[in-house]
Amino acid sequence: MTAHVLVKDEFLLSRILSRQRTAFDRDGAPALDQRKADLRKLKAAVLARRKEIEDALNADFGNRSAYETRIMELVPIIQSINYLKRNLRAWMRPERRRVAIHFTGARAYVVQQPLGVIGIISPWNYPLSLALIPLATALAAGNRVMLKPSELAPATATFLKRMLEDLYGEDRVSVVTGGADVGATFASLPFDHLAFTGSTSVGKLVMKKAAENLVPVTLELGGKSPVVLGPDADIETAAMRIAYGKLANAGQTCIAPDYVLVPDKNAETFLSAYRASVATLYPNGIASDTYTSIISTRHLDRLRDLVADAKKKGARIVDVAPSTDARNESRKFTPVVILGATSDMAIMREEIFGPVLPVVTYRNIDGAIAFINDRPRPLALYYFGGDGEARRNVLARTTSGNVTINDTLMHYVQNALPFGGIGGSGMGAYHGPEGFKSFSHAKGIFEQSRWNLGGTLRPPFDRLTDMAIRYLLW
Ligand code: NAD
């Protein structure tokens, strides 16, 4: 893209931001009824356009079943909106705080004030829900929003632009489409807050740009989320739940189990159970309609390279869903397990983001914990097994954004839980009351009373001042 076009982008984007901020400053924080109406409108529009949404996502992926879109995008969006609507009144209520003893009689309280204009940059892997859930949260907190969806899901981006600008008008919600260069220009705008969901490497660039304007950021990034199969885990149940979490959206999920740590004596049993689970979930292997395609040929090639690198360096590659219908044009990637993966293989250094599952064996639970702690802090951690010492140790001695015990992915759909990463997997959170607070300013307000002991601390000092000081220093 030429410098001329970039300058034009910057000008257009700055103009939208300035229009939104002027409108925000003019109108102030919207009342509860208005926010609820905004959420109701969004819910109704999403439900009314279900078919259009399912078609757009299918077009973006090449193949994505309507069920995948319903369960992984529509249900979380609608449930999040319902949760926001239910809790909004309580979150918006000013919260009383105690005043120090010498201010008795005065009042202190915290008001959650909207920040103003929130910038949201979203990824392609769940292109609808990862745009609309942050957007609904920002609107619930009373803000205006500029959204930059991913260029790799263009049909969804076009849909979002049409739907949102129809619903709210450009000075409340504006959708900016484009690729990395538009993203970079977007990230350099002086928003009141910038929420980014995407890769760790782009997250760093975004934070750098935001820092130039001191814009606070929420970074929802990726990474390698481990599964620990405890010594007492029910292997069959675990294998089924890991297979579900790994293969949903063909592994293109930020919180997909990346690799699994298995006690060394259980590796072969786990492999058989995983293979059986994949066969149950996808009876026709990759030819199953419900098995999603990889988003682009570039991403498909990247997965092939990861597996080839592991094979070249001595790993055993096990195809767990052999299929005769391996047509290239469907961009589907056969689920594989990798045994004997080592730290020098790219597959153990990069986030996989596809249906490839390395099985790493461990001798004792301390070894599994050390393996996790040798790597950047993950977005999610999964543990399978009873409430014994091994589980207590894993939970106490590892740090991850979130944890699900005895299942995968499911912490994400608990609306009342905060969702977010830590360290390399991100910062800040949305979902739950934390999400509302991320997009609000907790403004502390002090309201003085006609008289209290605090007044005696001002000149002219007298006997009452001495008494007050003696009392306060006691
Ligand atoms: P990405 O980082 O390539 O792109 C994300 C968004 O950033 C897109 O809209 C893109 O256009 C934009 N962008 C690209 N370059 C930019 C730049 N220089 N400045 C500003 N914006 C820029 O990520 P992706 O490939 O779309 O998504 C996959 C990644 O996202 C994975 O790492 C995955 O783990 C992560 N992810 C995290 C979560 C989470 O909630 N933590 C959810 C989904 C995906």
Side-chain angles (χ1 to χ4, degrees), residues 440-459:
S440 304
H441 167 54
K443 183 153 85 177
I445 299 180
F446 176 72
E447 195 178 323
Q448 186 60 289
S449 56
R450 271 169 73 85
W451 189 91
N452 57 43
L453 220 48
T456 65
L457 300 178
R458 281 195 292 264

Side-chain angles (χ1 to χ4, degrees), residues 121-125 130 148-152 178-180 183-184 187 196-200 202 205-206 220-223 253-254 299 351 353 379 419 425 430:
I121 302 180
S122 57
W124 54 263
N125 62 326
L130 294 177
K148 197 324 250 148
S150 171
E151 70 282 15
L152 293 181
F196 169 80
T197 305
S199 58
T200 301
V202 175
L205 301 175
V206 165
E220 300 286 348
L221 310 177
T253 304
C254 55
H299 290 76
E351 175 181 9
F353 224 56
L379 183 58
F419 176 80
S425 57
Y430 67 128

Side-chain angles (χ1 to χ4, degrees), residues 304-320:
R304 288 202 181 112
D305 290 348
L306 283 179
V307 174
D309 172 73
K311 191 171 178 186
K312 196 174 83 198
K313 292 178 177 154
R316 184 176 141 211
I317 315 295
V318 185
D319 181 347
V320 286

Side-chain angles (χ1 to χ4, degrees), residues 109-443:
Y109 47 95
V110 177
V111 172
Q112 299 292 342
Q113 185 175 32
L115 291 168
V117 183
I118 310 288
I120 297 175
I121 302 180
S122 57
W124 54 263
N125 62 326
Y126 291 98
L128 194 82
S129 57
L130 294 177
L132 290 187
I133 297 176
L135 179 129
T137 312
L139 290 178
N143 299 284
R144 288 162 196 255
V145 175
M146 285 176 68
L147 168 70
K148 197 324 250 148
S150 171
E151 70 282 15
L152 293 181
T156 309
T158 305
F159 167 80
L160 282 168
K161 186 166 175 64
R162 258 203 330 261
M163 177 182 80
L164 291 170
E165 293 183 357
D166 269 7
L167 277 183
Y168 299 110
E170 225 197 1
D171 75 338
R172 307 246 352 256
V173 175
S174 162
V175 180
V176 175
T177 52
D181 36 15
V182 173
T185 307
F186 189 90
S188 63
L189 296 177
F191 290 113
D192 297 296
H193 190 97
L194 181 56
F196 169 80
T197 305
S199 58
T200 301
S201 55
V202 175
K204 287 181 190 172
L205 301 175
V206 165
M207 190 167 172
K208 210 181 266 178
K209 293 260 183 199
E212 283 165 21
N213 296 307
L214 288 181
V215 172
V217 289
T218 301
L219 298 179
E220 300 286 348
L221 310 177
K224 295 183 82 62
S225 297
V227 184
V228 181
L229 215 62
D232 59 344
D234 172 340
I235 295 179
E236 274 177 22
T237 306
M240 174 53 94
R241 294 175 183 181
I242 294 168
Y244 171 71
K246 184 73 179 180
L247 301 180
N249 210 28
Q252 302 165 107
T253 304
C254 55
I255 50 168
D258 190 273
Y259 61 94
V260 54
L261 286 153
V262 179
D264 43 15
K265 63 177 192 323
N266 295 337
E268 289 300 327
T269 318
F270 175 77
L271 176 61
S272 317
Y274 187 76
R275 194 199 303 268
S277 305
V278 176
T280 305
L281 292 170
Y282 302 100
N284 298 322
I286 66 169
S288 307
D289 274 350
T290 50
Y291 188 64
T292 300
S293 296
I294 302 299
I295 191 79
S296 77
T297 318
R298 176 166 66 81
H299 290 76
L300 192 71
D301 289 344
R302 189 189 139 265
L303 288 171
R304 288 202 181 112
D305 290 348
L306 283 179
V307 174
D309 172 73
K311 191 171 178 186
K312 196 174 83 198
K313 292 178 177 154
R316 184 176 141 211
I317 315 295
V318 185
D319 181 347
V320 286
S323 165
T324 48
D325 186 15
R327 287 165 303 149
N328 247 352
E329 64 270 34
S330 64
R331 282 204 313 268
K332 287 188 173 179
F333 196 91
T334 303
V336 295
V337 164
I338 299 198
L339 293 161
T342 51
S343 300
D344 63 325
M345 298 173 184
I347 200 113
M348 290 314 296
R349 291 201 308 267
E350 287 174 29
E351 175 181 9
I352 298 173
F353 224 56
V356 179
L357 183 70
V359 173
V360 178
T361 57
Y362 70 83
R363 204 163 294 153
N364 55 45
I365 205 71
D366 284 347
I369 292 170
F371 192 91
I372 295 165
N373 287 340
D374 268 352
R375 287 162 175 74
R377 290 180 163 170
L379 183 58
L381 179 142
Y382 302 109
Y383 184 89
F384 284 87
D387 184 16
E389 207 184 322
R391 172 163 132 187
R392 281 198 294 278
N393 257 315
V394 171
L395 293 191
R397 289 169 46 205
T398 62
T399 306
S400 57
N402 290 84
V403 169
T404 286
I405 296 169
N406 289 324
D407 208 339
T408 61
L409 313 188
M410 297 303 156
H411 58 276
Y412 178 80
V413 287
Q414 308 313 313
N415 289 311
L417 285 182
F419 176 80
I422 179 163
S425 57
M427 63 184 68
Y430 67 128
H431 295 199
E434 287 79 4
F436 179 82
K437 287 183 180 166
S438 290
F439 295 134
S440 304
H441 167 54
K443 183 153 85 177

